[in-house]
Amino acid sequence: MNAAAAFFYLFAGVTVASAFMVVASRNPVHSVLFLILAFVNAAGLFLLMGAEFLAMILVVVYVGAVAVLFLFVVMMLDVDFAQLRQGFLNYLPLGALLAIVFFIELALVLTTRFVDPKAFKAAAPAAPKPDMLVTNTEALGRVLYTDYVFFFQVSGLVLLVAMIGAIVLTLRHKAGVKRQDIAEQVARTKATAMEVKKVPSRQGV
Amino acid sequence: MSSTVAAVPALGPALPEIVLALGALALVLIGAIRGDRSTGLVNAITVALIAAAGVMVAMQGGGKVSTFNGAFVVDGFARFMKLAMLIGAAVALVMAGDYMRKEKVHQFEFPILVLLSTLGMMLMISANDLIAVYLGLELSSLSLYVIAAIRRDDVRSTEAGLKYFVLGALSSGMLLYGASLIYGFTGSVSFAGIAKALQGEAGTGAIFGLVFILAGLAFKISAVPFHMWTPDVYEGAPTPVTAFFAAAPKVAAIALLVRVVMTAFPGITGQWQQIVVFIAIASMGLGAFAAIGQRNIKRLLAYSSIGHVGFALVGLAAGTAGGVQGVATYMAIYLVMTLGSFAVLLSMERDGEYVETIDDLAGLGRTDPVMAFVFAMLLFSLAGIPPLAGFFAKWYVFAAAVEAKLYALAVIGVLTSVVGTYYYLRLVKIMYFDEPKAAFEPAGGVVRAVVLASGAFVFLFWLWPAPLVNAAGAAAKSLF
């Protein structure tokens, strides 16, 4: 067993175990933390496959943004998960059915692969030969900013619209809220900020 | 290691779009620095930018140019539809100024969102591959969802925005699903590549994808059976926003639909023709019958627009150059009629409040004879009564359908048109024969100018139809 295989089993084992704990743990905050652990290990699996860009994106987007968002929601919304779980057993048959269907599909794919490798090859298009001199990130960058620059820029505009829309529809300037005004802070002088009082002894102010 | 510098794609064909995009970015900055005081200024600059884009589109040369690896195409059809759409957007925005001031909507973001939506629609019209279609559609739709809900403290406006957003997201999902199927079964996202892969016969998978793409696009043009959002959104959104919805996005989405079926699926005309015939008949029928019971003019115009989309699709169903010419002519005339009707609606202000039920029109013939006459002409034109412009619009699409031997479709179209006449005539009757209510407050100069200009257009179109019809004909030819 070489090092790559050892790491594979390490990452895969931790991923499966933490995925199970996401569902099984009682405290929702723990669930989210286990989810983060699963994401990080999945990123490790991607690294082993040589997909370093996907691994980084998984860490940056899912761990950095999505999971943190989950954490905020779980902490702020005060959802009573114990109550949500009460009907859990009622849904068990449906869940089991879905799991069985999914399992059969996976089994079909895998058996086709092992039983009749030719059919599998015919169905899938030939993968491009990896050019070892170019990393995934560089390969993406080469087309993203050249061939696909139009789509890239328009996507940027779509995100701009989303941002403007969110601000227009939700931002409210409330009166009477204390805000930091840096100009005013800087403009303060000793004369406006301080007052020197002579305090007579034994009498107080 | 190779370090070749990629060639910069030709930016010339997309110059109007680039100007709009950069303008929008600059306006966001102006608005952010100057705050809501700048709304008037931002509005004026936006109108100027749209007008400038219109001039640039009109000045672009005659041939067919594509850029960005064929994802973006400018041809006669794109120019015609872009011009119509830009006129609709600019007029709707100009009319919005007064209303927004009176109703105390002074977010400077409103004109910017209209501008970004207009940009998205220009990209839709020029889209020549499935990714560009989706991005253009999303850019325009996202902005539309926000401006539907721009009066965020008004329950109906927020409801309209939310409803539009949820259903719009669903339709985008369907479109994307269809696009992924098409890509999977043809191996190409560009329209030319799809057309090449689908020559002769198409497999079930590709037809499945085609159906989903058409369903997604039918939602955007609010054709039956994907029309459910239209009346609620039209009623809930502020009136100038509704005017914008009824004018520009309809033109852009119809143009997109025409380009998709004509350039990406010419090999399987028989397949999409059935679908287009069905949604045309269903839209015409529903537009004619459902509008009868409406009391609110905005809802009535919503059902009317559903019906008109059905009529325009009759031309598309023909699948010929003549049919596309009919669609282009129809959309241009529909645009003018719609803008005129909404201008009338925007001048219905009584005691400082805008009213929008049909009973508020009672006796307009005596209190404001000019407005009543023009509105009556617009309604007759919407109904398709000769010699007004609306009659010619219908004439061209029905003639194309008859030429393509779609007799049943043409007959059903004429019959539903007759049914539709009833509710337009009822409005005329209320204006001229019912007991007058108090007169409306005098409308703003711009709104009145739009009413008069659109009235003059529909009334005098028969004298000089050649420029529009010939331009539409040239536009249609560029697709074949």
Side-chain angles (χ1 to χ4, degrees), chain A residues 131 133-135 138 142-143 145-173, chain B residues 1-2 6-7 9 21 24-25 28 68-69 71-72 107 109-110 112-113 116 119 123 129 131-132 135-136 138-139 142-143 145-146 149-150 152-153:
Chain A
D131 181 355
L133 289 174
V134 182
T135 61
E138 194 184 341
R142 276 188 187 173
V143 289
Y145 301 107
T146 52
D147 294 352
Y148 295 98
V149 66
F150 174 58
F151 305 136
F152 188 71
Q153 295 293 336
V154 178
S155 312
L157 284 174
V158 172
L159 291 178
L160 175 72
V161 168
M163 196 174 79
I164 296 178
I167 293 172
V168 170
L169 296 181
T170 57
L171 182 68
R172 281 167 202 277
H173 292 287
Chain B
M1 216 164 159
S2 68
L25 296 181
V28 172
F68 301 122
N69 288 324
F72 182 93
Q107 287 112 324
E109 287 94 344
F110 171 68
I112 296 177
L113 286 167
L116 285 166
L119 171 63
L123 297 176
D129 86 17
I131 306 177
L135 286 174
E138 235 14 48
L139 181 58
L142 266 180
S143 322
Y145 307 148
V146 180
I150 194 89
R152 60 186 189 183
D153 296 320

Side-chain angles (χ1 to χ4, degrees), chain B residues 94-95 98-99 101-102 343 346-347 349 371 441-453:
Chain B
V94 167
M95 290 197 301
D98 261 354
Y99 179 95
R101 223 169 297 126
K102 280 181 191 152
L346 276 171
S347 52
E349 192 192 4
M371 181 80 80
E441 284 165 30
V446 180
V447 170
R448 208 163 172 87
V450 174
V451 172
L452 293 178

